[in-house]
């Protein structure tokens, strides 16, 4: 309860330190790197979208559950955590962008563009973790493959945003991306918000699934 009160009422009394510099390479100026009025705006913006999402039809997630089950062997030992990370990447991209990257179908029928995004997102996320551990000397971790991965992720999301702008799809088709776009300052702001939610939606859910199975077994 005390932590909830501090986060809700007194978060302006605390700063994020070098977090913005650590995360900016991949996440830009999204909610994980913001403070003050910008943070308040993002919190309110995303809160409204998640309230709406509670009442949406999520039947399309069934496809990804089926893909997850199909990857489970009948016999033997299996490490479920990588599969859970692929599963939540697939469901989160479907929820945010309106289309999944189908990482659970890698080496089956996943197209090259989706595979590049999934691989790049993993590399970029691992790079953020290393930079975070090095903070405030995070700038020392700057390999070319990290920056290429961040660029690939940005380009992938940018293409979805451009498609939305050109095709004027319905809210039902694009869902979350359309709703956030209505209150975003521009395409970069929209991209940053989507990537921040993608990071949170993928990792927290995958870790929750992993720990749940660990406790139950």
């Amino acid at each position: 309860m005390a932590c909830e009160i501090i986060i809700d009422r007194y978060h302006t009394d605390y700063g994020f330190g070098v977090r913005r510099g650590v995360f900016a390479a991949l996440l830009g100026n999204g909610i994980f790197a913001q403070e003050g009025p910008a943070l308040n705006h993002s919190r309110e913006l995303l809160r409204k979208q998640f309230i709406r999402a509670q009442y949406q039809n999520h039947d399309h997630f069934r496809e990804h559950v089926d893909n997850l089950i199909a990857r489970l062997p009948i016999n033997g030992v299996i490490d479920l955590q990588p599969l859970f990370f692929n599963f939540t990447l697939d469901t989160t991209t479907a929820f945010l962008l309106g289309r999944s990257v189908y990482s659970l179908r890698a080496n089956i029928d996943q197209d090259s563009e989706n595979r590049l995004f999934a691989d790049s997102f993993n590399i970029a996320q691992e790079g953020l973790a290393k930079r975070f551990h090095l903070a405030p000397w995070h700038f020392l971790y700057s390999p070319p493959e990290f920056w290429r991965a961040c660029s690939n992720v940005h380009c992938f999301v940018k293409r979805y945003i451009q498609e939305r702008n050109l095709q004027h799809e319905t809210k039902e088709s694009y869902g979350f991306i359309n709703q956030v776009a209505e209150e975003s300052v521009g395409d970069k702001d929209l991209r940053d918000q989507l990537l921040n939610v993608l990071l949170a939606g993928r990792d927290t859910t995958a870790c929750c699934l992993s720990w749940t199975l660990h406790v139950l077994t």
Side-chain angles (χ1 to χ4, degrees):
M1 179 64 72
C3 290
E4 183 178 352
I5 293 175
I6 291 174
I7 293 173
D8 186 51
R9 300 181 185 178
Y10 303 108
H11 61 273
T12 56
D13 295 340
Y14 303 90
F16 285 159
V18 297
R19 180 191 290 190
R20 183 169 185 171
V22 173
F23 288 164
L26 176 64
L27 303 180
N29 189 35
I31 191 170
F32 284 158
Q34 292 176 328
E35 298 182 77
L39 175 61
N40 292 335
H41 170 73
S42 292
R43 291 178 67 196
E44 180 62 19
L45 168 65
L46 297 177
R47 182 187 66 82
K48 290 189 294 185
Q49 310 317 323
F50 283 116
I51 289 176
R52 294 176 186 173
Q54 293 178 10
Y55 303 101
Q56 292 179 354
N57 185 352
H58 299 304
D59 287 345
H60 57 282
F61 287 161
R62 186 187 307 273
E63 173 187 14
H64 306 297
V65 174
D66 291 340
N67 289 337
L68 173 63
I69 294 173
R71 293 288 302 274
L72 301 177
I74 298 176
N75 299 308
V77 178
I78 183 172
D79 184 359
L80 286 172
Q81 191 170 52
L83 293 180
F84 284 151
F85 272 88
N86 287 336
F87 170 71
T88 53
L89 180 62
D90 290 351
T91 56
T92 306
T93 50
F95 173 68
L96 295 179
L97 305 176
R99 281 180 286 176
S100 173
V101 296
Y102 291 104
S103 60
L104 280 171
R105 299 192 64 82
N107 302 321
I108 302 176
D109 57 4
Q110 183 190 34
D111 66 47
S112 58
E113 182 179 298
N114 287 339
R115 186 179 302 113
L116 176 62
F117 170 77
D119 292 342
S120 297
F121 191 79
N122 286 334
I123 294 171
Q125 188 174 356
E126 290 173 3
L128 285 191
K130 293 175 181 177
R131 286 165 66 87
F132 193 80
H133 290 153
L134 288 173
W137 299 283
H138 52 278
F139 55 87
L140 295 176
Y141 182 82
S142 188
E145 58 268 22
F146 168 71
W147 293 104
R148 280 196 300 270
C150 292
S151 178
N152 290 337
V153 170
H154 291 166
C155 289
F156 183 86
V157 177
K158 182 179 179 180
R159 283 195 292 271
Y160 275 85
I161 294 173
Q162 290 174 336
E163 286 183 21
R164 174 198 170 275
N165 293 341
L166 291 173
Q167 297 178 13
H168 301 289
E169 292 283 353
T170 64
K171 291 182 180 180
E172 288 74 19
S173 296
Y174 274 88
F176 195 93
I177 186 174
N178 237 22
Q179 295 162 4
V180 176
E182 293 177 0
E183 299 186 47
S184 296
V185 177
D187 287 354
K188 184 181 182 302
D189 182 45
L190 175 58
R191 184 203 72 186
D192 293 348
Q193 296 291 9
L194 291 172
L195 285 174
N196 278 253
V197 177
L198 174 59
L199 180 70
R202 183 208 189 191
D203 281 26
T204 54
T205 310
C207 290
C208 180
L209 288 171
S210 299
W211 273 107
T212 300
L213 265 293
H214 174 73
V215 171
L216 291 177
T217 55

